Amino acid sequence: MNKRAVGSEYELKAAQYLESQGYKILHKNFRCRFGEIDLIGKSDGYLCFIEVKYRSGIQHGFPSEAVDNRKIRRIVRSALTYLHYNNLPEDTPCRFDIVEILDKDYSLIKNAFEGIL
């Protein structure tokens, strides 16, 4: 299985996990010129932009450690584009979450980073 297929499989599993945690998934794989957001959902009154990271082991660190400053900037710019495309005000309550999948264990990191460019 190639990396894209593996990524798609774990994004689907992450969406199911989030729904079991009370999230309502609105979009999957939102793409724009700045990048991609894996999942967009609603939870606790927030519009959540969710990055999904999977690793089979910790040989190369925890999955969430792969979300570096460059990746954060791309996600934030993509989130602003999503707000614009959907005519949502920039002061919409938003949060950036990470679903970390390590082998078969799922962790949800709410408000994993700030939406600052």
Side-chain angles (χ1 to χ4, degrees):
M1 198 180 298
N2 67 33
K3 281 187 174 186
R4 185 69 209 143
V6 170
S8 294
E9 176 186 341
Y10 282 99
E11 287 168 7
L12 176 63
K13 289 180 179 184
Q16 293 167 344
Y17 168 74
L18 289 168
E19 287 172 338
S20 77
Q21 300 296 308
Y23 280 68
K24 179 179 184 336
I25 302 301
L26 304 174
H27 290 95
K28 296 176 184 172
N29 302 107
F30 172 78
R31 288 183 178 89
C32 67
R33 69 185 185 119
F34 297 112
E36 177 188 356
I37 299 173
D38 295 330
L39 300 169
I40 300 171
K42 286 201 146 215
S43 173
D44 302 325
Y46 287 91
L47 181 62
C48 302
F49 299 96
I50 304 145
E51 179 69 9
V52 178
K53 287 295 178 190
Y54 164 79
R55 289 207 176 137
S56 59
I58 59 169
Q59 309 86 287
H60 302 289
F62 287 94
S64 60
E65 293 173 353
V67 183
D68 59 11
N69 287 333
R70 181 173 171 254
K71 181 73 173 170
I72 289 170
R73 280 193 303 275
R74 293 178 75 111
I75 293 169
V76 170
R77 286 185 177 129
S78 299
L80 289 170
T81 302
Y82 178 86
L83 293 172
H84 178 74
Y85 283 176
N86 290 281
N87 295 316
L88 297 169
E90 284 190 26
D91 63 349
T92 299
C94 295
R95 190 173 74 207
F96 297 92
D97 298 346
I98 297 174
V99 173
E100 180 177 71
I101 307 169
L102 185 56
D103 192 26
K104 294 183 173 96
D105 294 324
Y106 291 73
S107 298
L108 173 59
I109 305 169
K110 292 183 178 182
N111 205 29
F113 55 88
E114 295 295 320
I116 298 172
L117 295 172

